[in-house]
Amino acid sequence: MVVDPWSGFKRDVLLALEDALRQLGWGPPKELEQTLSEPPDPKFGDLASTLCFELARTLHMAPAELAKKLVEAIKPEGMVARAEAVGGYVNFFVDTSKLAGAVLPTIEKSDVKYGHLTVGRGQKVIIEHTSVNPTKPLHIGHCRNAVIGDTVARILRALGYKVEVQNYIDDLGLQVAQTLLAWQIIPKKPRGKFDHVLGLMYVDISRRLQQEHQLEQRVRQILEQLEKGNGKSAQLARWLSKRCVLANLETTNRLNINYDLLVWESDIARSGMLREALDRLRKTPCVVEGTGEHAGTLILELSDFGIEDKVLVRSDGTAVYTARDIAYQLWKFGQVKAGLLFKLHSKRADGTRTHTTSQKGKPSKKFGCANRVINVIGAEQKFPQQVVFLALKVLGLKREYENSRHLAYEHVWLPSGKFSGRRGTWVGHSTDDVIEGAVERAYVEVEKRNPKASKTFKRRTAEAVGTGAVRYSLIQTSPEKKVVFRWEDALNFERNSAPAIQYAHARACSILRKAKRAGCKYVPGVFRLPEEQRLIKLLAKLPEVMRAAGEKLQPNLPALYAAELALEFNKFYEVAPVIEAETPELRASRLHLVNCIRIALRNALKVLGITAPDRM
């Protein structure tokens, strides 16, 4: 069975090119596949080759003349219907009848596995995402990080990788020390969800620190106590952080975001891996003792790699965050002797067992030891991530260096500017607020369309549609592009594609319910309408889309695919009767097509972490 039909067409195109080149005596370039791409306009074919532009350099002929000769030598076979020369391009057109004969049975037989590949079999990937200071709720900017990371994890699992998702909890930082001070000196605590309570108290203490400078000394004292890891301050900080993380997980649970492991910075600091990492780095020529204004520091010299040097240890003997990140990255690859202890933390809605590092836990070989590591961190952290990765290279860990990836993303902005925890600009724009607003809006829409439905159905559907709208609004844009959050965009269900995709899926389910059964099998050559042929091509491309999304780490690709498939399905529905088709053969064939659309939409939504309702 062909699990990737579009790749089958591409293979036939490459074979046709190789045969023609052999016949003409023209030596093909080494990477023939690299010359193929999809034309911007379907009238120029389904795949186009730029081969003749490259051959023109060695054969000293015009690309257009070469393309004409090449097309004359091409014998259409397999899924290739014909080839045309346009300028210097060689354009290939797929035989939609043969493609449909491969696509529809493949989808219906593969079912929930359609779009899945095995390219990552035997490879373990660690993805770190979310990693928010445990002092506040997730605002919609943090949520973009979590949605990107979770979607990439889903994509890579579908490609056969073993994926471990980690959430790094910085419970030793300045924000934690300031929040702990706030907890100690503010007698009247705000009411509400615990992470919101801490967030509001952090805003309050930030304001007071600017006015009451004597409080800075108390923050420094708390920070020292946290670094040492003993005493009441350290215990209280861990307690506050744990409660905040639990509240954060309530939010991510609603968005179907899962974690395998919560990694606490305090546990890393007390594990000995930081000391081990620094000792190993000291033995390399790139780590030196600071002089002059940097006297007493430990510096990682990186000028030979084209970036500035980085202080790893301050003159007071404390390590900077980047030093801890280096130790953490080494541990992810299984490259430190020092270990962590683990215990079960909680279970996610889909049954995922989330573990946590803990001083009272047990050792386990289950975690870490990855082949690849992907850190989902804001684009502004480019330099620190470069330092972390280059430290691996300095230590002679070339493979680990090459398999470290910073999935950089631009933040979500408000029209007025960036989010600020210190100024409290997240208030009213927390992920909880956005989810509630989206679900309320969805409930109104569901009630309008299904006034007689039960309240349970309305609430369940509104939750699926509302949370789907939130996820889609954050994943549809390529990670490197900035997103400006506007309520009217996030909650406009007419323009936001997630509800439209879900509705298309529900419509396909409705057609199949009404038809009850397809009857006879698909009849080759029955699909004549342009709308049908476009759908067949789109259905064939889902595995290719998944492969590209995984290779390029572009989780927006399945989102764009699902939106396009839903749009083309709606166009098909307007012009092509299914249940009332002209002949029994056409009816049965269109029902098979609709079923395949249902499967592809459901599978694409699942990889986006979005529920595919059967009814809306």
Side-chain angles (χ1 to χ4, degrees):
M1 184 177 67
V2 180
V3 296
D4 187 354
W6 196 252
S7 285
F9 167 54
K10 188 181 287 186
R11 183 191 62 244
D12 290 344
V13 167
L14 291 172
L15 288 172
L17 279 172
E18 288 171 359
D19 287 344
L21 288 168
R22 215 171 5 252
Q23 181 182 330
L24 293 167
W26 298 348
K30 292 181 181 179
E31 298 294 337
L32 191 58
E33 188 173 350
Q34 299 299 318
T35 71
L36 297 182
S37 62
E38 290 190 30
D41 190 329
K43 72 180 181 182
F44 294 121
D46 300 298
L47 283 175
S49 174
T50 58
L51 172 63
C52 294
F53 292 95
E54 297 184 25
L55 290 174
R57 301 191 192 100
T58 54
L59 298 177
H60 308 294
M61 293 172 63
E65 187 179 349
L66 288 170
K68 185 177 179 182
K69 288 180 177 293
L70 192 56
V71 165
E72 288 173 354
I74 288 173
K75 298 175 182 177
E77 291 182 5
M79 294 188 197
V80 178
R82 69 183 193 279
E84 292 180 356
V86 178
Y89 294 92
V90 178
N91 299 332
F92 293 87
F93 295 79
V94 70
D95 185 322
T96 51
S97 179
K98 290 181 179 178
L99 183 64
V103 171
L104 302 190
T106 294
I107 295 177
E108 291 189 317
K109 189 170 183 179
S110 302
D111 198 11
V112 294
K113 292 293 184 181
Y114 184 63
H116 291 215
L117 299 170
T118 58
V119 293
R121 182 178 290 169
Q123 298 282 305
K124 180 178 179 179
V125 180
I126 287 178
I127 300 176
E128 180 202 336
H129 70 75
T130 308
S131 302
V132 177
N133 289 325
T135 58
K136 54 185 170 290
L138 306 181
H139 61 58
I140 198 64
H142 301 135
C143 191
R144 188 183 192 198
N145 177 308
V147 169
I148 288 173
D150 183 72
T151 306
V152 169
R154 291 169 181 269
I155 290 168
L156 293 183
R157 286 192 185 103
L159 293 177
Y161 291 94
K162 180 181 179 182
V163 179
E164 181 176 305
V165 176
Q166 298 183 3
N167 184 353
Y168 183 75
I169 315 297
D170 178 7
D171 59 331
L172 293 182
L174 180 62
Q175 285 191 24
V176 171
Q178 292 172 338
T179 304
L180 180 53
L181 176 62
W183 187 267
Q184 291 172 337
I185 69 173
I186 297 175
K188 190 173 182 180
K189 276 54 170 189
R191 291 186 176 183
K193 192 162 169 270
F194 192 75
D195 50 354
H196 288 251
V197 169
L198 284 191
L200 292 171
M201 292 179 72
Y202 176 67
V203 173
D204 192 350
I205 199 68
S206 297
R207 192 180 303 116
R208 290 182 62 172
L209 283 165
Q210 291 179 341
Q211 299 166 355
E212 305 172 39
H213 298 294
Q214 71 278 8
L215 293 177
E216 286 287 356
Q217 180 61 31
R218 293 187 63 178
V219 171
R220 282 195 292 272
Q221 290 172 350
I222 292 172
L223 203 52
E224 289 176 9
Q225 291 168 356
L226 296 184
E227 289 278 353
K228 291 176 182 176
N230 49 34
K232 291 184 179 180
S233 290
Q235 292 176 2
L236 182 56
R238 184 73 175 232
W239 178 79
L240 288 174
S241 297
K242 281 183 176 180
R243 287 194 63 187
C244 187
V245 169
L246 280 172
N248 288 165
L249 290 177
E250 289 178 24
T251 304
T252 53
N253 282 346
R254 288 189 75 179
L255 291 172
N256 298 324
I257 294 170
N258 298 322
Y259 307 94
D260 297 297
L261 182 64
L262 307 178
V263 180
W264 293 80
E265 183 172 10
S266 57
D267 293 331
I268 287 180
R270 290 154 202 162
S271 69
M273 69 174 67
L274 174 59
R275 189 184 315 111
E276 181 183 339
L278 290 174
D279 287 345
R280 288 171 62 183
L281 284 166
R282 281 190 179 96
K283 295 175 183 177
T284 71
C286 291
V287 173
V288 299
E289 299 286 342
T291 58
E293 63 178 327
H294 293 298
T297 65
L298 193 68
I299 298 174
L300 178 61
E301 294 186 324
L302 296 168
S303 56
D304 288 347
F305 299 101
I307 66 172
E308 62 185 271
D309 300 341
K310 177 65 179 175
V311 172
L312 297 181
V313 179
R314 304 181 187 93
S315 58
D316 63 2
T318 59
V320 300
Y321 289 133
T322 307
R324 291 197 187 106
D325 287 343
I326 291 170
Y328 182 29
Q329 191 79 358
L330 286 167
W331 175 79
K332 289 175 182 176
F333 280 112
Q335 290 295 331
V336 286
K337 293 178 182 177
L340 295 167
L341 302 177
F342 311 93
K343 68 177 185 179
L344 182 65
H345 179 273
S346 53
K347 292 184 181 179
R348 309 276 61 79
D350 71 343
T352 299
R353 294 163 65 88
T354 299
H355 286 74
T356 179
T357 60
S358 171
Q359 294 295 303
K360 298 179 180 179
K362 296 179 180 180
S364 173
K365 294 182 179 180
K366 177 181 178 181
F367 302 106
C369 299
N371 301 105
R372 292 174 61 195
V373 172
I374 300 167
N375 297 331
V376 185
I377 301 176
E380 77 284 354
Q381 294 295 316
K382 179 181 178 181
F383 172 67
Q385 285 291 291
Q386 284 179 322
V387 173
V388 170
F389 300 164
L390 284 170
L392 303 183
K393 197 171 188 179
V394 165
L395 290 169
L397 301 172
K398 184 181 177 183
R399 182 185 67 84
E400 287 76 7
Y401 164 75
E402 292 173 347
N403 288 314
S404 295
R405 180 72 180 272
H406 174 203
L407 204 176
Y409 68 96
E410 285 295 335
H411 287 270
V412 179
W413 289 53
L414 295 171
S416 58
K418 290 181 73 174
F419 284 96
S420 169
R422 185 175 286 106
R423 296 198 307 273
T425 55
W426 55 266
V427 176
H429 294 93
S430 72
T431 301
D432 292 319
D433 294 326
V434 176
I435 291 173
E436 285 302 322
V439 171
E440 286 176 16
R441 177 68 179 271
Y443 191 90
V444 172
E445 295 295 324
V446 172
E447 196 164 41
K448 192 188 301 179
R449 289 171 169 78
N450 297 276
K452 296 181 180 179
S454 68
K455 286 186 177 180
T456 300
F457 169 82
K458 292 174 185 175
R459 282 196 295 268
R460 185 176 63 247
T461 306
E463 181 76 13
V465 173
T467 55
V470 173
R471 280 196 69 131
Y472 195 92
S473 70
L474 296 171
I475 204 66
Q476 65 178 324
T477 304
S478 186
E480 72 275 5
K481 294 182 180 178
K482 184 172 79 173
V483 172
V484 177
F485 179 81
R486 295 182 178 88
W487 273 100
E488 61 270 25
D489 294 337
L491 302 187
N492 188 326
F493 289 175
E494 297 303 318
R495 287 187 292 172
N496 188 306
S497 294
I501 298 166
Q502 290 172 311
Y503 187 72
H505 176 268
R507 170 177 277 174
C509 292
S510 176
I511 292 170
L512 295 169
R513 276 195 305 272
K514 290 175 182 176
K516 294 185 179 176
R517 63 178 190 162
C520 60
K521 295 181 179 179
Y522 153 70
V523 180
V526 75
F527 297 127
R528 303 292 178 85
L529 295 177
E531 291 81 4
E532 293 170 324
Q533 295 179 357
R534 283 198 295 270
L535 282 170
I536 289 164
K537 292 176 189 178
L538 264 178
L539 289 170
K541 292 176 183 178
L542 179 56
E544 279 278 291
V545 169
M546 293 292 292
R547 187 197 306 271
E551 289 177 352
K552 300 175 183 177
L553 294 185
Q554 288 190 302
N556 58 306
L557 296 182
L560 299 178
Y561 170 86
E564 185 180 1
L565 181 58
L567 179 64
E568 292 299 332
F569 175 50
N570 290 336
K571 290 178 181 177
F572 159 81
Y573 183 77
E574 294 297 321
V575 300
V578 179
I579 298 174
E580 301 298 328
E582 292 90 336
T583 66
E585 292 79 13
L586 184 59
R587 178 182 188 272
S589 297
R590 283 180 177 168
L591 283 172
H592 281 293
L593 179 61
V594 170
N595 188 41
C596 290
I597 292 166
R598 174 191 68 83
I599 291 169
L601 285 173
R602 180 200 61 200
N603 293 1
L605 284 170
K606 185 175 182 180
V607 87
L608 296 172
I610 297 172
T611 302
D614 293 343
R615 292 178 170 85
M616 283 177 68

